[in-house]
Amino acid sequence: MSNYYIGVDLGGTKILTAISNDKGEILKKIKLPTEAEKGKDHIIDNIVKSIENVMKSVDADSEKIIRIGLGSPGPLNLEEGIIYTSPNLYWENVPVVKILEERIGIEVSLENDANAAALGEKWFGAGKGINNMIYMTVSTGIGGGIIIDNKILHGVNYGAGEIGHFIIEKDGPLCGCGNNGCFEAVASGTALNRKGKYLASMNPESLLYKLVDGDFNKIDGKVIAKAAEMGDKLALGIWADEAINLGIGIANLLNIFNTEMVVLGGGVMNAWELFYDEMMKTIKEYAFESVYNSVEIRRSVLGSDVGVIGAIAVAMEDRLLK
Ligand SMILES: [Zn+2]
């Protein structure tokens, strides 16, 4: 008789749910809209529906499901299984673990979504066999998880690992968190796009300007990458700047955490070749030599499944650590 694990990646727009065997191999994955605007009960209904659907797909009754892992945006109380607030879900103080356990009759483990993703890469992705690792996702924002001695670093009230929000430029651009010059505010995909729009508007002779016919709203990471690949100096400069900002942020983290690996995910990594060399040069420049020499920087291998595979890893973690 086989046993199963279920992972749920709860996001503001979609719920991704997957069922795996006891090796962590995904057998079925489904995506449902969150429909957060319809309220808490509706979101819970959608989560339950998605869990029932994946169970049905492999003909598994609830006794065969060992545990469910739920990855959610924070802040959270992991011990009590509460999602405190979530602007994307319009939630406040929801005891989500208790509610789900009562509805489904299977034990649920809650984890912050970025930490879950870190765990996913550690057990099933780029970080296999690695005990000390930083996972960083660079897209609209910058998030991540820190794993030290095989364990996620949670902090005193589960707030550790907000790696997008240390300040690297005191008078830098305003961040979503209210501070200026956070790592996220200077190095995220949003920051990259903002720079691209501004510089293109100032340089109508640039290829970047011409690629969007002066319609700056169309400038995003893809366009900036395309212009750079075609040799546009302005776009190449934006990537060089991105490389340096990423490098400074990673060097800061490495000087503090001295991990064996950093795994980088998120949309910005699609332009890996355009910033990798310069980023590594910057890390080498700012990290302590022994720290730099002992780390490997790799791309995420789980792609857009990282959240749901991470949620499965959360469900399996007790077993994985044995
Ligand atoms: Zn911030």
Side-chain angles (χ1 to χ4, degrees):
M1 289 278 256
S2 42
N3 292 321
Y4 302 97
Y5 293 84
I6 292 175
V8 180
D9 180 18
L10 174 60
T13 55
K14 63 179 195 307
I15 300 164
L16 203 56
T17 301
I19 188 162
S20 82
N21 58 19
D22 54 11
K23 295 190 192 84
E25 292 160 345
I26 289 185
L27 306 170
K28 174 78 182 176
K29 184 175 72 181
I30 63 163
K31 186 157 79 175
L32 281 184
T34 311
E35 298 170 326
E37 69 286 353
K38 292 186 184 169
K40 181 197 92 180
D41 293 341
H42 187 78
I43 301 175
I44 298 276
D45 284 346
N46 279 348
I47 296 173
V48 170
K49 206 194 306 173
S50 75
I51 290 169
E52 287 169 351
N53 283 353
V54 292
M55 283 169 66
K56 246 180 254 160
S57 72
V58 296
D59 202 18
D61 52 44
S62 52
E63 290 98 78
K64 288 191 200 158
I65 313 290
I66 306 291
R67 187 175 275 272
I68 295 170
L70 172 65
S72 162
L76 315 166
N77 182 329
L78 300 187
E79 214 171 325
E80 293 176 31
I82 295 171
I83 300 178
Y84 282 133
T85 53
S86 179
N88 293 331
L89 298 173
Y90 314 101
W91 270 13
E92 237 170 283
N93 298 330
V94 177
V96 65
V97 166
K98 188 165 167 268
I99 296 172
L100 287 176
E101 285 180 345
E102 279 171 10
R103 294 257 322 244
I104 311 167
I106 302 168
E107 286 190 325
V108 176
S109 295
L110 178 66
E111 183 53 273
N112 167 288
D113 51 4
N115 286 343
L119 219 51
E121 286 289 348
K122 186 214 165 336
W123 291 112
F124 303 114
K128 270 185 208 163
I130 295 292
N131 297 335
N132 295 280
M133 185 193 107
I134 297 165
Y135 168 77
M136 183 190 295
T137 171
V138 187
S139 53
T140 314
I142 293 182
I146 297 160
I147 293 171
I148 299 293
D149 295 333
N150 258 329
K151 291 239 163 164
I152 289 176
L153 186 74
H154 279 124
V156 70
N157 59 3
Y158 315 102
E162 283 293 350
I163 61 176
H165 300 280
F166 55 84
I167 294 161
I168 62 175
E169 206 184 312
K170 183 170 77 71
D171 300 313
L174 183 66
C175 182
C177 74
N179 288 332
N180 282 82
C182 285
F183 183 35
E184 171 172 306
V186 298
S188 64
T190 307
L192 185 87
N193 299 349
R194 189 185 56 234
K195 241 173 273 173
K197 283 173 191 168
Y198 174 72
L199 289 173
S201 73
M202 305 295 281
N203 296 277
E205 78 292 350
S206 68
L207 185 59
L208 198 52
Y209 185 98
K210 287 173 189 149
L211 278 175
V212 294
D213 296 321
D215 183 357
F216 306 125
N217 287 327
K218 287 189 185 152
I219 291 182
D220 59 10
K222 255 188 211 161
V223 175
I224 304 171
K226 191 174 172 196
E229 277 155 9
M230 292 166 81
D232 181 52
K233 281 211 178 83
L234 201 65
L236 285 165
I238 294 170
W239 284 110
D241 209 32
E242 175 68 10
I244 290 169
N245 286 327
L246 284 175
I248 289 173
I250 293 169
N252 281 335
L253 290 167
L254 287 175
N255 283 342
I256 300 168
F257 296 108
N258 184 208
T259 56
E260 314 158 68
M261 188 177 281
V262 177
V263 178
L264 297 173
V268 169
M269 296 309 134
N270 292 327
W272 187 255
E273 286 79 20
L274 290 170
F275 63 80
Y276 177 78
D277 289 345
E278 189 68 32
M279 177 184 78
M280 293 307 291
K281 227 165 82 185
T282 309
I283 298 171
K284 189 173 184 188
E285 189 179 342
Y286 292 109
F288 290 117
E289 197 181 347
S290 62
V291 166
Y292 176 80
N293 287 338
S294 54
V295 73
E296 191 184 340
I297 314 283
R298 295 186 64 180
R299 274 182 81 169
S300 154
V301 298
L302 299 178
S304 57
D305 281 343
V306 68
V308 74
I309 293 175
I312 288 172
V314 169
M316 294 181 83
E317 204 194 4
D318 285 346
R319 216 210 65 199
L320 291 166
L321 281 168
K322 274 168 200 156

